[in-house]
């Protein structure tokens, strides 16, 4: 085998390496994670998702616990989406410094100018055409084509990650087996001209290495930084244009970027779009008005907020001290609600009273878990209400009362439960664990969770649920200690 053949084989194994145009290499997994966030943002801004968000805003849980002011809730949604886009764009800027294209290396200035509505010098003097090069104003067909291409690279890179982990595990197993052979006795003498047959683990490892090499070729691993960053810059501009299109009627000061990728979902009464695509009876806020929004994080539409819309949006995401998020109890309350739901389902099963010992122990463990989840103040509130209920009913709970409590608990959980589940979903999606890195599904937003919920209202609803469950347990368990409060 000559030297050219050896070099060709080496290039096939590690990919073509051009010192002037370096490939992404091991950073492919970071790039794929960033791209997956862009796809998730893109999916979250699809027409169906925006309509679903509007429906959730009108749900009893969000309206009662957070706010009935839909323009305010839309600003909350816009603020979080912009914050997520800012994080992804900052990651793109860190990678852009490795590019050869000077326009890509200056992406941070492009993004700042994009948010400023073209005020940045980079976008002046006819440079707006560069944004069109990156896809600004693309049609729906063009956008979907790019998104599918990005999804393909993310999926291939995610698979490469899994296969490389499997390869590392096989290599570790091979090393252990080699060490065991060396320490288990004398090494057998190999006869001349007779090759030793590879072991099953070696054959499997050989196949796994070939699979990894093939995946590197079709994934982001062998893409240059210019190609990878170009993909992501296009994604940033596309997502930002969509945010401006969707929320421009309720967030004054957003740059009026053109987004031909989808019909705009304007608010009814908007002078920019008075037609049939309205998705709700909301009015466009006037620049002359200065309303005080009755919610946990009030925002004043002042001249400063109009001049600095993104700074005003970021301030919205700070939960007030009277909210569940501001009190640091979001995760705990969500888990209490979900556990209470499970107990209600268990108690609603026919024949529940005829439990065996194992089911009784599981039920008791669930109650003990619920007890330890509650803050001390909530435990005191539940105990006080239970004592009041016990005195009022004369120390007995009959079947009609237990059935009434069951109906009350079910009715409360019908609107409290979805908010708790969205809270846990939001936390799972923001989890940085590696098995969540490449998800591209639409994301939950803070307004759908307990984060901005009024703490007093939330606690009162949870206490009512726990008291109702306890009364149900008193009746069904006939004297057995149901809940320890």
């Amino acid at each position: 085998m000559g030297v050219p053949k050896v070099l060709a084989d080496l290039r096939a194994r590690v990919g073509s390496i051009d010192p002037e145009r370096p490939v992404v290499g091991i950073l492919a997994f970071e790039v794929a994670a960033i791209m997956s966030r862009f796809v998730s943002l893109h999916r979250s801004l699809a027409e169906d998702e925006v309509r679903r968000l509007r429906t959730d805003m009108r749900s009893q849980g969000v309206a009662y616990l957070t706010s009935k002011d839909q323009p305010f809730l839309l600003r909350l949604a816009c603020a979080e989406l912009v914050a997520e886009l800012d994080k992804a764009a900052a990651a793109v800027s860190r990678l852009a410094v490795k590019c050869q294209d000077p326009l890509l290396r200056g992406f941070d200035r492009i993004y700042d100018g994009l948010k400023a509505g073209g005020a940045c010098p980079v976008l002046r003097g006819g440079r707006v055409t560069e944004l069109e090069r990156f896809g600004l104003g693309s049609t729906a067909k063009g956008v979907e084509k790019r998104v599918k291409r990005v999804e393909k690279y993310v999926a291939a890179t995610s698979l490469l990650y899994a296969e490389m982990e499997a390869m590392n595990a096989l290599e570790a197993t091979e090393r252990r087996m080699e060490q065991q052979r060396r320490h288990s006795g004398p090494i057998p003498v190999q006869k001349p001209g007779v090759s030793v047959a590879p072991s099953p683990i070696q054959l499997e490892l050989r196949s796994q290495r070939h699979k990894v090499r093939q995946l590197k070729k079709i994934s982001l691993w062998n893409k240059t930084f210019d190609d990878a960053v170009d993909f992501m810059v296009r994604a940033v501009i596309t997502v930002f244009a969509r945010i401006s299109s969707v929320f421009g009627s309720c967030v004054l000061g957003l740059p009026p970027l053109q987004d031909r990728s989808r019909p705009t979902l304007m608010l009814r009464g908007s002078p920019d779009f008075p037609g049939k695509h309205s998705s709700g009876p909301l009015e466009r806020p006037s620049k002359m008005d200065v309303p005080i929004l009755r919610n946990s994080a009030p925002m004043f539409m002042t001249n400063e907020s109009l001049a600095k819309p993104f700074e005003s949006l970021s301030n919205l995401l700070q939960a007030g001290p009277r909210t569940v998020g501001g009190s640091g109890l979001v995760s705990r309350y969500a888990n209490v609600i979900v556990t209470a739901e499970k107990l209600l389902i268990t108690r609603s099963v026919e024949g529940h009273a005829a439990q065996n010992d194992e089911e009784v122990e599981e039920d008791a463990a669930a109650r003990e878990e619920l007890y330890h989840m509650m803050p001390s103040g909530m435990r005191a509130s539940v105990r006080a209400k239970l004592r009041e209920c016990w005195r009022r009913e004369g120390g007995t709970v009959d079947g009609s009362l237990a059935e009434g409590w069951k109906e009350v608990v079910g009715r409360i959980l019908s609107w409290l439960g979805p908010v708790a589940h969205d809270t846990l979903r939001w936390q799972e999606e923001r989890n940085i664990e590696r098995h969540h890195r490449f998800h591209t599904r639409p994301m939950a937003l803070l307004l759908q969770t307990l984060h901005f919920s009024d703490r007093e209202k939330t606690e009162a609803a949870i206490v009512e649920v726990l008291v109702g469950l306890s009364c149900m347990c008193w009746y069904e368990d006939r004297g057995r200690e149901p809940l320890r409060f």
Side-chain angles (χ1 to χ4, degrees):
M1 182 182 293
V3 174
K5 179 66 175 175
V6 172
L7 293 177
D9 182 65
L10 182 60
R11 280 194 296 267
R13 287 173 177 270
V14 300
S16 59
I17 300 176
D18 184 350
E20 295 184 357
R21 293 179 63 83
V23 296
V24 173
I26 193 66
L27 292 177
F29 306 123
E30 180 181 350
V31 173
I34 299 169
M35 286 185 173
S36 69
R37 299 309 293 168
F38 286 128
V39 176
S40 182
L41 283 167
H42 173 77
R43 299 296 182 215
S44 300
L45 289 162
E47 291 181 59
D48 290 344
E49 286 299 316
V50 173
R51 290 192 182 97
R52 187 179 67 84
L53 177 64
R54 298 291 299 273
T55 301
D56 289 348
M57 285 164 42
R58 297 185 180 96
S59 68
Q60 187 176 354
V62 173
Y64 176 69
L65 296 176
T66 302
S67 177
K68 294 181 180 179
D69 192 317
Q70 293 186 36
F72 165 71
L73 294 175
L74 283 171
R75 284 194 287 274
L76 275 183
C78 181
E80 186 174 6
L81 290 168
V82 170
E84 291 289 332
L85 183 62
D86 285 346
K87 293 177 186 176
V92 175
S93 296
R94 291 193 296 270
L95 293 169
V97 297
K98 300 178 180 292
C99 295
Q100 301 298 312
D101 188 337
L103 185 64
L104 294 176
R105 286 203 305 271
F107 166 71
D108 53 347
R109 290 176 296 163
I110 292 178
Y111 187 61
D112 290 342
L114 192 67
K115 293 177 69 174
C120 179
V122 174
L123 302 179
R124 291 177 180 167
R127 297 300 296 275
V128 176
T129 56
E130 298 290 357
L131 292 183
E132 294 177 354
R133 166 197 155 185
F134 290 125
L136 182 63
S138 297
T139 61
K141 186 176 180 180
V143 170
E144 284 302 318
K145 185 177 179 180
R146 287 201 301 270
V147 170
K148 289 185 182 298
R149 192 176 180 188
V150 169
E151 284 184 310
K152 179 181 176 181
Y153 282 123
V154 170
T157 308
S158 176
L159 183 58
L160 172 63
Y161 185 89
E163 296 298 345
M164 288 185 70
E165 282 200 324
M167 184 181 70
N168 293 337
L170 286 172
E171 288 175 343
T173 302
E174 185 191 32
R175 287 193 296 269
R176 287 196 300 269
M177 293 178 64
E178 183 64 26
Q179 291 176 355
Q180 290 174 0
R181 283 195 298 269
R182 290 178 179 178
H183 295 87
S184 61
I187 300 176
V189 179
Q190 182 178 347
K191 296 180 180 181
V194 179
S195 60
V196 179
S199 65
I201 190 70
Q202 289 174 329
L203 291 174
E204 187 178 358
L205 182 56
R206 186 180 303 171
S207 173
Q208 189 68 22
R209 284 170 176 163
H210 175 73
K211 189 184 298 185
V212 168
R213 285 195 299 270
Q214 295 301 114
L215 284 172
K216 284 183 178 180
K217 294 178 182 178
I218 64 173
S219 68
L220 292 167
W221 186 282
N222 276 350
K223 288 292 178 184
T224 64
F225 280 100
D226 283 62
D227 289 340
V229 171
D230 186 89
F231 277 134
M232 292 187 287
V233 170
R234 291 172 182 271
V236 170
I237 294 173
T238 299
V239 171
F240 187 82
R242 180 60 180 161
I243 289 175
S244 296
S245 174
V246 171
F247 297 101
S249 58
C250 61
V251 180
L252 298 177
L254 280 182
L257 296 179
Q258 183 182 15
D259 176 23
R260 299 201 305 259
S261 62
R262 293 185 185 89
T264 303
L265 293 176
M266 288 291 188
L267 304 179
R268 183 172 299 162
S270 169
D272 298 328
F273 196 85
K276 63 182 179 180
H277 289 287
S278 169
S279 56
L282 299 181
E283 298 296 330
R284 181 187 178 99
S286 171
K287 294 184 180 182
M288 302 301 294
D289 296 335
V290 188
I292 301 178
L293 301 179
R294 301 298 179 183
N295 49 60
S296 57
M299 174 184 178
F300 297 89
M301 299 300 296
T302 62
N303 291 332
E304 182 181 0
S305 66
L306 294 175
K308 301 178 179 178
F310 296 103
E311 184 177 334
S312 300
L313 284 175
S314 64
N315 293 336
L316 274 180
L317 296 177
Q318 300 174 7
R322 295 184 179 180
T323 64
V324 177
S327 305
L329 294 168
V330 173
S331 181
R332 184 178 291 192
Y333 282 7
N335 282 300
V336 167
I337 295 167
V338 171
T339 304
E341 264 190 328
K342 293 177 181 177
L343 282 173
L344 177 63
I345 292 172
T346 301
R347 292 280 165 177
S348 299
V349 175
E350 288 188 26
H352 171 77
Q355 288 179 312
N356 55 39
D357 293 338
E358 183 177 351
E359 290 174 337
V360 170
E361 291 178 2
E362 290 178 356
D363 195 56
R367 299 178 197 174
E368 190 71 16
E369 179 186 5
L370 181 58
Y371 173 80
H372 288 294
M373 285 181 188
M374 292 188 300
S376 57
M378 183 177 290
R379 295 178 197 171
S381 298
V382 173
R383 281 196 297 266
K385 194 153 189 176
L386 281 174
R387 284 194 294 267
E388 178 186 349
C389 181
W390 191 252
R391 285 195 300 268
R392 186 173 63 248
E393 302 300 330
T396 61
V397 178
D398 58 21
S400 61
L401 183 61
E403 191 63 30
W405 272 112
K406 179 179 177 181
E407 182 181 346
V408 169
V409 171
R411 189 167 60 248
I412 295 175
L413 288 177
S414 67
W415 55 264
L416 188 61
V419 181
H421 285 287
D422 281 336
T423 301
L424 298 180
R425 177 187 159 204
W426 186 95
Q427 292 174 341
E428 180 185 1
E429 289 172 351
R430 271 61 174 186
N431 193 337
I432 61 173
E433 293 294 332
R434 54 191 176 188
H435 56 279
H436 294 300
R437 293 176 66 189
F438 308 118
H439 285 176
T440 57
R441 61 176 179 259
M443 60 180 66
L445 297 179
L446 281 174
L447 71 89
Q448 298 165 297
T449 71
L450 292 168
H451 187 76
F452 294 110
S453 297
D454 183 88
R455 180 178 175 179
E456 290 185 7
K457 293 180 179 180
T458 305
E459 288 181 347
I462 295 174
V463 167
E464 198 75 8
V465 166
L466 296 178
V467 170
L469 283 174
S470 187
C471 289
M472 289 169 56
C473 293
W474 276 338
Y475 174 73
E476 293 177 2
D477 292 344
R478 301 296 199 281
R480 185 191 302 149
E481 181 63 24
L483 291 173
R484 183 168 68 88
F485 294 132

